[in-house]
Amino acid sequence: ADRGDKVFFATARTREGQCIAVWPLMLQDGKSLSFLNEDFADHCTCLAAPSVGIALLGAGLTETICTTGASAVIFKNVPPWGPTLAAVQAGIADAAWAQRAVRATPCPIVRISTDDDISANVRAEFDRHKRLRNYENRLKREPGFAFEAVEDDTQVAEWSEDFCNLHEWRWNTTHTPSRYRFPEARRDIAQNLQSLATDRRLVRFALCLPSGRVAMVAALLSADRLVY
């Protein structure tokens, strides 16, 4: 918003007014169209009911591109699963724009059965991997080890600072350094986390040792579901 960015949701609705598809988007600097959540998500997708086909999703994106007056479209972290990638390619092609898709390192996906006890199924899937069990057991043997789960808005600023510091420690020595080395990126995530926590839509998790938090993740709360 500081740069004049515009946030909007391009939606498709039935004649009865029911929403059946959404493209969550941002027009940056009045020029470049991107996914709204690209800085905070490993996977960026549109949302669509099963009845909505790729052609319709692509046509909606085409209309959005033309309506916004965007001069560039940059969609990051689009996964190969689901309809989004094919819909993006169809929509850009229909807008008569040249396009290029660049492969990126995929984020792992854990597939589990949704039958019976989902929590037990998740546990069973992770227990199949010896390396994960070894990590867990080593941490549990550390003096002062604790698992932290926070659902309210206490100490969000401190938590955000720890998260950014940990992210920098992990990524700054690689060829893809952390965005949180920049003050504005730290400010943005702190503000976003505070807003979500105030609205009781945020759940924060951390693995803690006496030296501090050593692993952290935040998730959104939607009814009785956690959305990572």
Side-chain angles (χ1 to χ4, degrees), residues 176-219:
T176 54
S178 170
R179 69 172 66 91
Y180 300 120
R181 66 191 189 278
F182 300 116
E184 59 270 22
R186 285 177 171 251
R187 178 202 63 203
D188 288 346
I189 190 173
Q191 290 177 346
N192 288 334
L193 291 176
Q194 184 63 64
S195 296
L196 291 166
T198 300
D199 290 341
R200 295 296 191 269
R201 290 290 181 264
L202 183 71
V203 183
R204 294 169 282 151
F205 301 98
L207 300 180
C208 305
L209 295 176
S211 59
R213 298 179 177 100
V214 296
M216 306 172 70
V217 67

Side-chain angles (χ1 to χ4, degrees), residues 53-203:
I54 289 172
L56 181 59
L57 286 170
L61 181 60
T62 302
E63 183 175 349
T64 301
I65 292 172
C66 297
T67 301
T68 59
S71 58
V73 177
I74 304 176
F75 286 154
K76 302 177 183 178
N77 304 337
V78 179
W81 49 263
T84 303
L85 180 59
V88 166
Q89 292 173 326
I92 293 177
D94 287 345
W97 282 21
Q99 60 177 293
R100 176 179 295 178
V102 180
R103 290 186 179 274
T105 303
C107 178
I109 299 173
V110 178
R111 299 186 184 279
I112 64 167
S113 171
T114 56
D115 297 331
D116 303 320
D117 188 339
I118 295 179
S119 296
N121 294 340
V122 171
R123 180 78 243 186
E125 176 62 29
F126 276 88
D127 282 346
R128 290 196 312 109
H129 302 279
K130 184 177 180 180
R131 187 174 65 175
L132 291 176
R133 293 200 307 273
N134 288 340
Y135 285 152
E136 181 182 18
N137 291 333
R138 284 168 55 190
L139 275 172
K140 286 181 176 179
R141 288 195 294 268
E142 289 287 334
F145 168 76
F147 174 73
E148 176 185 73
V150 184
E151 297 185 44
D152 58 26
D153 59 352
T154 58
Q155 298 183 324
V156 174
E158 176 189 325
W159 196 96
S160 178
E161 188 73 9
D162 285 351
F163 177 87
C164 292
N165 291 340
L166 193 61
H167 201 274
E168 283 205 64
W169 174 85
R170 172 61 180 87
W171 294 106
N172 276 0
T173 57
T174 72
H175 67 283
T176 54
S178 170
R179 69 172 66 91
Y180 300 120
R181 66 191 189 278
F182 300 116
E184 59 270 22
R186 285 177 171 251
R187 178 202 63 203
D188 288 346
I189 190 173
Q191 290 177 346
N192 288 334
L193 291 176
Q194 184 63 64
S195 296
L196 291 166
T198 300
D199 290 341
R200 295 296 191 269
R201 290 290 181 264
L202 183 71
V203 183

